[in-house]
Amino acid sequence: MKMHSVAALVLMSVAGASAPIVSAADKFDLGKREYESNCIACHGADGKGGAYVDFLKSTPPDLTQLAKKNGGVFPVERVYSIIDGRQPVKSHGTADMPIWGRDYQAKAGEYFVDVPYDPEAFVRQRILALVDYLNRMQSK
């Protein structure tokens, strides 16, 4: 295989990993998948509290009210930082929530076993998809 072919393959695989897959029959929603995989137990399917809420030290926020509580603007940067969790956010207090950035970073290593990759791009793609999904959950 020629070097430029390998580079093209890597670029295609990275581009494919960062873009949702859309078919005529079904639209893949990475943000929804991430929410259902990682958030639903504590935050619930509707974002207002899940099955684990009674077992948590603090009650998770109503995720449908984030924009409303921020003057009608969805707080993208704050939500991203809280989900990532690798950098302490003073306004968030203690890290009661799992550090998803670290979890996604580990998953990147599993996903890209034999291919050069940027783990931060993988982490950003997952978190941004989740942030987008949370933004779409906001009450009108």
Side-chain angles (χ1 to χ4, degrees):
M1 189 178 275
K2 294 181 181 178
M3 183 56 112
H4 69 278
S5 299
V6 172
L9 181 62
V10 170
L11 287 174
M12 288 188 320
S13 69
V14 171
S18 64
I21 301 167
V22 180
S23 70
D26 191 24
K27 182 178 177 185
F28 178 75
D29 187 339
L30 180 60
K32 182 177 181 179
R33 189 188 88 190
E34 292 299 325
Y35 184 84
E36 289 174 348
S37 297
N38 299 322
C39 310
I40 205 165
C42 297
H43 293 283
D46 62 358
K48 298 175 186 247
Y52 288 6
V53 74
D54 292 335
F55 303 105
L56 302 173
K57 287 189 250 178
S58 58
T59 304
D62 180 342
L63 297 179
T64 67
Q65 300 295 311
L66 298 174
K68 184 176 182 180
K69 291 181 178 184
N70 193 49
V73 178
F74 185 74
V76 173
E77 186 176 337
R78 186 173 71 217
V79 171
Y80 184 100
S81 296
I82 290 169
I83 293 168
D84 185 315
R86 292 177 292 169
Q87 297 295 318
V89 179
K90 287 184 181 183
S91 63
H92 186 239
T94 60
D96 294 332
M97 200 172 88
I99 299 172
W100 294 114
R102 191 176 306 136
D103 184 63
Y104 290 139
Q105 195 170 27
K107 285 180 182 174
E110 296 168 8
Y111 186 79
F112 296 104
V113 176
D114 294 329
V115 187
Y117 70 96
D118 177 359
E120 286 306 309
F122 185 86
V123 171
R124 279 191 304 273
Q125 178 243 347
R126 291 305 236 277
I127 294 174
L128 287 172
L130 182 51
V131 168
D132 174 62
Y133 183 72
L134 294 173
N135 185 35
R136 290 183 274 138
M137 289 178 71
Q138 298 308 291
S139 63
K140 303 295 178 206

PDB file of all heavy atoms in Angstrom, residues 8 13 30-31 37-38 40-41 44 58 63 71 82 97 102 118 122 127 138:
ATOM      1  N   ALA A   8      -4.709   8.582   3.379  1.00  0.00           N
ATOM      2  CA  ALA A   8      -6.103   8.784   2.988  1.00  0.00           C
ATOM      3  C   ALA A   8      -7.024   7.901   3.809  1.00  0.00           C
ATOM      4  O   ALA A   8      -8.093   8.326   4.244  1.00  0.00           O
ATOM      5  CB  ALA A   8      -6.287   8.505   1.498  1.00  0.00           C
ATOM      6  N   SER A  13     -11.003   7.373   8.080  1.00  0.00           N
ATOM      7  CA  SER A  13     -11.481   6.750   9.318  1.00  0.00           C
ATOM      8  C   SER A  13     -11.712   7.789  10.400  1.00  0.00           C
ATOM      9  O   SER A  13     -12.672   7.711  11.145  1.00  0.00           O
ATOM     10  CB  SER A  13     -10.520   5.671   9.797  1.00  0.00           C
ATOM     11  OG  SER A  13      -9.320   6.233  10.251  1.00  0.00           O
ATOM     12  N   LEU A  30     -25.400  10.226  17.593  1.00  0.00           N
ATOM     13  CA  LEU A  30     -24.344   9.914  18.547  1.00  0.00           C
ATOM     14  C   LEU A  30     -24.620  10.545  19.908  1.00  0.00           C
ATOM     15  O   LEU A  30     -24.408   9.920  20.943  1.00  0.00           O
ATOM     16  CB  LEU A  30     -22.974  10.367  18.021  1.00  0.00           C
ATOM     17  CG  LEU A  30     -21.789  10.102  18.943  1.00  0.00           C
ATOM     18  CD1 LEU A  30     -21.628   8.619  19.231  1.00  0.00           C
ATOM     19  CD2 LEU A  30     -20.508  10.667  18.346  1.00  0.00           C
ATOM     20  N   GLY A  31     -25.105  11.774  19.922  1.00  0.00           N
ATOM     21  CA  GLY A  31     -25.399  12.437  21.194  1.00  0.00           C
ATOM     22  C   GLY A  31     -26.440  11.684  22.001  1.00  0.00           C
ATOM     23  O   GLY A  31     -26.289  11.496  23.214  1.00  0.00           O
ATOM     24  N   SER A  37     -26.301   5.811  26.992  1.00  0.00           N
ATOM     25  CA  SER A  37     -25.272   4.918  27.527  1.00  0.00           C
ATOM     26  C   SER A  37     -24.702   5.388  28.857  1.00  0.00           C
ATOM     27  O   SER A  37     -24.370   4.567  29.712  1.00  0.00           O
ATOM     28  CB  SER A  37     -24.112   4.788  26.533  1.00  0.00           C
ATOM     29  OG  SER A  37     -24.539   4.208  25.347  1.00  0.00           O
ATOM     30  N   ASN A  38     -24.574   6.708  29.030  1.00  0.00           N
ATOM     31  CA  ASN A  38     -23.824   7.223  30.172  1.00  0.00           C
ATOM     32  C   ASN A  38     -24.607   8.088  31.152  1.00  0.00           C
ATOM     33  O   ASN A  38     -24.158   8.255  32.284  1.00  0.00           O
ATOM     34  CB  ASN A  38     -22.632   8.051  29.675  1.00  0.00           C
ATOM     35  CG  ASN A  38     -21.676   7.240  28.845  1.00  0.00           C
ATOM     36  OD1 ASN A  38     -21.426   6.083  29.141  1.00  0.00           O
ATOM     37  ND2 ASN A  38     -21.149   7.826  27.804  1.00  0.00           N
ATOM     38  N   ILE A  40     -28.418   8.385  31.404  1.00  0.00           N
ATOM     39  CA  ILE A  40     -29.825   8.107  31.673  1.00  0.00           C
ATOM     40  C   ILE A  40     -30.083   7.557  33.073  1.00  0.00           C
ATOM     41  O   ILE A  40     -31.114   7.852  33.685  1.00  0.00           O
ATOM     42  CB  ILE A  40     -30.401   7.187  30.582  1.00  0.00           C
ATOM     43  CG1 ILE A  40     -31.893   7.378  30.470  1.00  0.00           C
ATOM     44  CG2 ILE A  40     -30.015   5.746  30.800  1.00  0.00           C
ATOM     45  CD1 ILE A  40     -32.464   6.780  29.196  1.00  0.00           C
ATOM     46  N   ALA A  41     -29.164   6.790  33.640  1.00  0.00           N
ATOM     47  CA  ALA A  41     -29.382   6.199  34.959  1.00  0.00           C
ATOM     48  C   ALA A  41     -29.556   7.268  36.036  1.00  0.00           C
ATOM     49  O   ALA A  41     -30.410   7.133  36.915  1.00  0.00           O
ATOM     50  CB  ALA A  41     -28.229   5.273  35.325  1.00  0.00           C
ATOM     51  N   GLY A  44     -32.171  10.364  33.886  1.00  0.00           N
ATOM     52  CA  GLY A  44     -33.455   9.942  33.331  1.00  0.00           C
ATOM     53  C   GLY A  44     -33.569  10.185  31.844  1.00  0.00           C
ATOM     54  O   GLY A  44     -32.865  11.019  31.274  1.00  0.00           O
ATOM     55  N   SER A  58     -25.991  14.029  45.799  1.00  0.00           N
ATOM     56  CA  SER A  58     -26.739  15.245  45.492  1.00  0.00           C
ATOM     57  C   SER A  58     -27.660  14.978  44.304  1.00  0.00           C
ATOM     58  O   SER A  58     -27.361  14.134  43.458  1.00  0.00           O
ATOM     59  CB  SER A  58     -25.789  16.404  45.189  1.00  0.00           C
ATOM     60  OG  SER A  58     -24.947  16.086  44.110  1.00  0.00           O
ATOM     61  N   LEU A  63     -31.900  18.602  33.455  1.00  0.00           N
ATOM     62  CA  LEU A  63     -31.125  18.962  32.262  1.00  0.00           C
ATOM     63  C   LEU A  63     -31.938  19.687  31.207  1.00  0.00           C
ATOM     64  O   LEU A  63     -31.372  20.247  30.279  1.00  0.00           O
ATOM     65  CB  LEU A  63     -30.486  17.703  31.666  1.00  0.00           C
ATOM     66  CG  LEU A  63     -29.473  17.011  32.564  1.00  0.00           C
ATOM     67  CD1 LEU A  63     -28.928  15.759  31.885  1.00  0.00           C
ATOM     68  CD2 LEU A  63     -28.343  17.946  32.957  1.00  0.00           C
ATOM     69  N   GLY A  71     -30.402  32.421  31.613  1.00  0.00           N
ATOM     70  CA  GLY A  71     -30.916  33.571  30.861  1.00  0.00           C
ATOM     71  C   GLY A  71     -31.375  33.237  29.459  1.00  0.00           C
ATOM     72  O   GLY A  71     -31.342  34.086  28.574  1.00  0.00           O
ATOM     73  N   ILE A  82     -18.152  20.329  32.454  1.00  0.00           N
ATOM     74  CA  ILE A  82     -18.673  19.434  33.486  1.00  0.00           C
ATOM     75  C   ILE A  82     -18.668  17.994  32.990  1.00  0.00           C
ATOM     76  O   ILE A  82     -18.278  17.076  33.713  1.00  0.00           O
ATOM     77  CB  ILE A  82     -20.078  19.884  33.931  1.00  0.00           C
ATOM     78  CG1 ILE A  82     -19.965  21.193  34.717  1.00  0.00           C
ATOM     79  CG2 ILE A  82     -20.755  18.797  34.770  1.00  0.00           C
ATOM     80  CD1 ILE A  82     -21.295  21.861  34.983  1.00  0.00           C
ATOM     81  N   MET A  97     -19.971  13.879  39.579  1.00  0.00           N
ATOM     82  CA  MET A  97     -20.301  13.181  38.351  1.00  0.00           C
ATOM     83  C   MET A  97     -19.069  12.454  37.832  1.00  0.00           C
ATOM     84  O   MET A  97     -17.944  12.911  38.047  1.00  0.00           O
ATOM     85  CB  MET A  97     -20.764  14.217  37.315  1.00  0.00           C
ATOM     86  CG  MET A  97     -21.580  13.632  36.199  1.00  0.00           C
ATOM     87  SD  MET A  97     -22.281  14.924  35.173  1.00  0.00           S
ATOM     88  CE  MET A  97     -20.962  15.152  34.011  1.00  0.00           C
ATOM     89  N   ARG A 102     -12.048  11.300  30.714  1.00  0.00           N
ATOM     90  CA  ARG A 102     -11.074  10.232  30.938  1.00  0.00           C
ATOM     91  C   ARG A 102     -11.598   8.907  30.378  1.00  0.00           C
ATOM     92  O   ARG A 102     -10.870   8.134  29.774  1.00  0.00           O
ATOM     93  CB  ARG A 102     -10.780  10.105  32.430  1.00  0.00           C
ATOM     94  CG  ARG A 102      -9.596   9.213  32.725  1.00  0.00           C
ATOM     95  CD  ARG A 102      -9.242   9.149  34.202  1.00  0.00           C
ATOM     96  NE  ARG A 102      -9.045  10.475  34.779  1.00  0.00           N
ATOM     97  CZ  ARG A 102      -9.537  10.849  35.961  1.00  0.00           C
ATOM     98  NH1 ARG A 102     -10.219  10.022  36.712  1.00  0.00           N
ATOM     99  NH2 ARG A 102      -9.314  12.058  36.418  1.00  0.00           N
ATOM    100  N   ASP A 118      -5.754  10.924  17.260  1.00  0.00           N
ATOM    101  CA  ASP A 118      -5.660  11.991  18.244  1.00  0.00           C
ATOM    102  C   ASP A 118      -6.736  11.713  19.293  1.00  0.00           C
ATOM    103  O   ASP A 118      -7.924  11.898  19.022  1.00  0.00           O
ATOM    104  CB  ASP A 118      -5.900  13.346  17.579  1.00  0.00           C
ATOM    105  CG  ASP A 118      -5.888  14.503  18.558  1.00  0.00           C
ATOM    106  OD1 ASP A 118      -5.715  14.278  19.768  1.00  0.00           O
ATOM    107  OD2 ASP A 118      -6.068  15.647  18.105  1.00  0.00           O
ATOM    108  N   PHE A 122     -11.169  12.432  19.529  1.00  0.00           N
ATOM    109  CA  PHE A 122     -12.185  11.432  19.862  1.00  0.00           C
ATOM    110  C   PHE A 122     -13.011  11.898  21.061  1.00  0.00           C
ATOM    111  O   PHE A 122     -14.242  11.841  21.050  1.00  0.00           O
ATOM    112  CB  PHE A 122     -11.497  10.098  20.158  1.00  0.00           C
ATOM    113  CG  PHE A 122     -12.439   8.957  20.404  1.00  0.00           C
ATOM    114  CD1 PHE A 122     -12.938   8.210  19.346  1.00  0.00           C
ATOM    115  CD2 PHE A 122     -12.814   8.619  21.692  1.00  0.00           C
ATOM    116  CE1 PHE A 122     -13.795   7.145  19.572  1.00  0.00           C
ATOM    117  CE2 PHE A 122     -13.666   7.550  21.930  1.00  0.00           C
ATOM    118  CZ  PHE A 122     -14.160   6.810  20.863  1.00  0.00           C
ATOM    119  N   ILE A 127     -18.052  14.320  23.434  1.00  0.00           N
ATOM    120  CA  ILE A 127     -18.625  15.310  24.350  1.00  0.00           C
ATOM    121  C   ILE A 127     -19.473  16.320  23.584  1.00  0.00           C
ATOM    122  O   ILE A 127     -20.576  16.669  24.027  1.00  0.00           O
ATOM    123  CB  ILE A 127     -17.528  15.998  25.190  1.00  0.00           C
ATOM    124  CG1 ILE A 127     -16.877  14.982  26.130  1.00  0.00           C
ATOM    125  CG2 ILE A 127     -18.116  17.168  25.984  1.00  0.00           C
ATOM    126  CD1 ILE A 127     -15.693  15.507  26.904  1.00  0.00           C
ATOM    127  N   GLN A 138     -33.629  20.969  25.717  1.00  0.00           N
ATOM    128  CA  GLN A 138     -34.074  22.119  26.497  1.00  0.00           C
ATOM    129  C   GLN A 138     -35.567  22.402  26.297  1.00  0.00           C
ATOM    130  O   GLN A 138     -36.088  22.311  25.189  1.00  0.00           O
ATOM    131  CB  GLN A 138     -33.264  23.360  26.124  1.00  0.00           C
ATOM    132  CG  GLN A 138     -31.788  23.232  26.417  1.00  0.00           C
ATOM    133  CD  GLN A 138     -31.517  22.808  27.839  1.00  0.00           C
ATOM    134  OE1 GLN A 138     -31.760  23.576  28.774  1.00  0.00           O
ATOM    135  NE2 GLN A 138     -31.004  21.588  28.023  1.00  0.00           N
TER     136      GLN A 138
END
